[in-house]
Amino acid sequence: MADPVGGIVRLVPGPAAKLDPTKDKSAEPKAEGGFGEMLSEFVGGVNNLHHGAADIQESFLRGEPVELHQVMVKAEEAGVATELLIEIRNKVLEGYNELIRMPV
């Protein structure tokens, strides 16, 4: 996994990239979007989970061949994602309020 000769290997999920401190940073591509775009994508993903859960519930109620455990798993996934979204919102607001209260 790690190069025995040099460089630091990235240990987080994602594309494997060696970090080279001598490399010119201006030549690297800039990160697009940022936190706002990431949050927007997450909200869209939570919305899609809720729509998927509603669709499978409707299919179950119409009598289509859908297992009850699939309905429950989809509903639980949507619920957990919503709880995570609420906690992220709470932490962001808590951080914002703390920044506002800081003396200048």
Side-chain angles (χ1 to χ4, degrees), residues 10-101:
R10 189 172 163 188
L11 297 176
V12 294
K18 288 187 180 180
L19 303 176
D20 186 4
T22 61
K23 190 174 173 184
D24 183 20
K25 301 292 184 197
S26 62
E28 292 181 5
K30 301 293 182 202
E32 297 293 324
F35 181 73
E37 185 175 322
M38 181 183 66
L39 192 60
S40 177
E41 290 175 7
F42 185 69
V43 169
V46 171
N47 190 33
N48 290 340
L49 283 174
H50 278 281
H51 285 297
D55 290 343
I56 200 166
Q57 287 173 359
E58 288 176 12
S59 297
F60 180 76
L61 293 174
R62 276 187 257 134
E64 295 177 10
V66 177
E67 297 292 327
L68 179 60
H69 69 276
Q70 292 173 330
V71 175
M72 297 304 297
V73 166
K74 288 287 188 183
E76 193 63 28
E77 283 178 352
V80 168
T82 302
E83 290 175 13
L84 177 61
L85 182 62
I86 290 170
E87 287 301 318
I88 291 172
R89 181 207 60 187
N90 291 344
K91 289 294 183 181
V92 167
L93 286 175
E94 184 180 310
Y96 175 77
N97 287 332
E98 190 172 322
L99 282 173
I100 293 297
R101 282 182 258 149

